Every structure is written in C-alpha cells, then in structure tokens.
Amino acid sequence: SGSPSPGRGPSAGGDFSAPPADPAGGAPDLGSDGPGVTEPAPTLNHPCRFFLAGSCRFGARCRNPHPGALPAAPQPPPEPPSKKPLERPSKKPPMKTAGDVVSRILWDRQLPPGEFTVGHLDRFSGVREDAFTAFCWEDLASVGPEVLAIPQHRIQYFKYRGRVVWDKASRLDDVFGSTGGGRTILEVMKEEAGRQEAVGMGDGGAGVPEEAVAPENEEEDVAEPGAQSCPPAAPRPPRPTHFVAVRITSPELRGSVARLQEALSQADPTVAEFCTPLATLHLTLCLLRLDGAAAGRAPAPPAPRPLLRFRGLGTFRGRVLYAAPAPGPELAGLAHALEQGFACKGLTVVPLPAHDCFHLTVAKIPAGGEPRLNLPLEPPGEELGTQAVESLCLCQVGGGRRTDGFYSTLVELDLY
C-alpha cells in the first residue's frame, strides 16, 4: 500500500517485485538472477583432433565426432562368462618304480637276472654299474655289513645286455612299458637276441670271450664224396654268461699292445675301430654259465699264482689277432684248479677249446666283417711283456663296463 521503504530491496532481504515491462510491449526481462532462470545453450562437440591427425586409438568408441568416418559395424553383445571350470594341464603318466623293476627281475622266470646290470649313485664315486646278481635285494635292515645292498632311491637305471631299459632321469621304462616308447622287456629281449645273432655274438662277436672262436689251424670235418655218413656232431655247449679272467695291468705289456695296435692301424685304417681298448685287456681262464642265485655265490677258489710272459702272436680265422703267453704247466694248472673248484660247488663250467690256447686279444673283427687281420711283417720283439697273476675277476658276459673301463665284475679275488 505504501512505497517500499528505503533499504528493503532484494539485497536487503525484502520481497521481490515484478520485473519492469518492456517498453516495446515485449515480454518482461527475466534477468539472470530471477526465479525464471533458463537452461544454458548446448555446446557443440568439436571434431576429434586425433582423428583429424589420423592417430585416434578409440575409433567408434571415441566421445568426439569423427567427420567423414564410415559408420561402425554393430558389435555383438558380450558373451556371459562361462561357468565351466578351467581345465588343468594333464599329469604325466605314472612310471613304474625301481622297486617294481627289481621285483619283476627277481620273480619273473622269463627274465635272466644274470643279464641285467644296475646303475646306482654312490656317495663317494658317483654313478657306478654293478651286476644285478651282485646285490642282496632283501630288506636293508636284515643284511650284514659286508653285503652289497643299496636303497632303491639310489638306483638310476637298469641295463639288459648293455642296453638301458629303465632310466629315472629320462623317464624311460622298457620293462613294463609304462612310459617312453611303450615297449616291454620281452620285446627288448627278442630285439637283442636278433641283433646278437645278426652280428655273430655266438662266434667271437663283441661281448663274448674269444675262446668261442676255433683256432685257424683247426681242421673242419668235411665229408668226402662216397664216404659213409658221419655220426651227428655232439651238441654245442651252453653259451657262457660269466668268465674268470686275469686283468692286464702291466704298463710294459700295455705299451707293447698299444704300439702293435698303432702299427695295425697305419697299415689298414679300417682296423682301428676293432682294436681292443687297453682298459679291457684280459686273459680268460674259465667260462661259466650261472643263474642269478649261483652268480651271487661264486667266488673263485684259491689257486697257484704264475707269472705270464707274452712272446708270440697268432690269429683265429683272420678275425682275432692275439698275443700268446709262453706255455707252461702253471697256467694250465691254474685253469684246471678253477674248473674243478667251480664244478665241486655244482656250477656249470663251459669247457674251453684247448688249455694251450690262452691268449690276450689285441684286435677282433665280428663275424661277417670285411677286413681280415694279418700278422705284422715286423714282429714287435722277443717279448711283449710280463703280467703277474695278482687277482682273478669273475666278469659278466655283455654286462657293460665299470667306471674304469673294465668289464662288469661280480667278484675280484686278490691272490696276495
């Protein structure tokens, strides 16, 4: 009703009056602070400067427009996460343990224990090889201090006639076929038998003592035309599984053999691969065929101790070149005492062709080999060297090698 008192405007907290009308008859000016505030004008999005530069990484998902870009293809809806559990990597197939292999060799009658060797870890000398029959496989708590026995976790591999059939490191199991190629020990035995027949293992091949080779001057029975038929030949003796030998350790004798082998290699380089390694030089005294139980209890009996003098050279059918010891009754008596001692214990003794043909093999060519060994034109001298019979070794035929290169030895008996 009265005019507003001074000091009571909007800033003083009084009532607001209507805005003055536009003199031109337009709408009243609402102002920026009145109750009828309007929304601000929308701002236009600027083009994506990265798209204009050709380096936008978002493509159709970019918030800024891409002028001139082709419309993006519709994206399929994302698949819901699968509730199927994640597949774990498949485990390795279980491998038969060393204890399983030991039990198989002990109780399977088809497996000859004397043909197997065991590679085991020794705490002082590393991995060693010994014949399977040299071990006592009873409980370790029940064996004595002088019995060869090992815990099964130290076994590294098994060999059959020098071929690895079970190996812990490479997970090879050719005994049961659980891992590796899936082949079993019976298949391996057939393969080895065929391979040995192919290379002439029964006739002076590698792994069999050369005493199985007949001397070169041995006359063969040949039937003459019109003659009466001869009676059938006597059955062949059993194949030996072990042999008793004198190891050649004399430096003088080894040096003479090395010089002789070098002369043979220079005359015919193809003969070099057939020379006998110096570490395996030996003189065989007795051949045996032992089963698993007998091999573990076959120590050599005490016998005379001769001194061997090697002087002459000879050949067997052009395949074996050997150095012969000087003949004497002591060497033949030693071999005879060994055979009698083993026979008294019920062991199978395979007879040698002749006791006067003991020899030290210098080079040997398997049956079927092309080169032939001939005596050197210049003899090496009056005497090759001497060897004292200080010990006798009971070795396994085809049983691998020891760490020093000699044959796998079950028993070594010192004679001094």
Side-chain angles (χ1 to χ4, degrees), residues 231-242:
R236 297 182 61 181
R239 178 177 296 179
T241 59
H242 298 77

Side-chain angles (χ1 to χ4, degrees), residues 5-65:
S5 58
R8 291 184 60 84
S11 60
D15 297 335
F16 292 95
S17 59
D22 188 4
D29 186 11
L30 297 179
S32 59
D33 293 334
V37 177
T38 60
E39 295 181 359
T43 58
L44 297 177
N45 291 337
H46 298 283
C48 177
R49 59 189 181 92
F50 297 101
F51 173 76
L52 298 178
S55 60
C56 182
R57 297 180 301 172
F58 296 99
R61 296 182 293 109
C62 186
R63 296 181 179 180
N64 296 325

Side-chain angles (χ1 to χ4, degrees), residues 300-312:
R305 301 184 292 269
L307 180 65
L308 306 180
R309 299 181 180 275
F310 292 85
R311 294 181 178 178

Side-chain angles (χ1 to χ4, degrees), residues 221-224 227-233:
D221 296 333
V222 180
E224 299 180 358
Q228 297 181 355
S229 60
C230 299

Side-chain angles (χ1 to χ4, degrees), residues 118-145:
V118 182
H120 58 96
L121 183 62
D122 187 87
R123 291 183 296 177
F124 303 100
S125 59
V127 178
R128 292 184 51 188
E129 278 192 20
D130 290 288
F132 180 85
T133 54
F135 293 92
C136 178
W137 298 108
E138 299 178 2
D139 187 7
L140 292 178
S142 62
V143 299

Side-chain angles (χ1 to χ4, degrees), residues 118-121 127 152-158 166-169:
V118 182
H120 58 96
L121 183 62
V127 178
Q152 295 178 2
H153 67 270
R154 290 191 184 176
I155 298 177
Q156 304 299 313
Y157 57 84
F158 290 88
W166 188 93
D167 184 69
K168 179 192 296 186

Side-chain angles (χ1 to χ4, degrees), residues 238-261:
R239 178 177 296 179
T241 59
H242 298 77
F243 61 97
V244 180
V246 177
R247 187 181 183 186
I248 304 301
T249 57
S250 169
E252 177 189 6
L253 185 54
R254 284 193 173 189
S256 300
V257 172
R259 290 189 296 270
L260 182 58
Q261 292 177 345

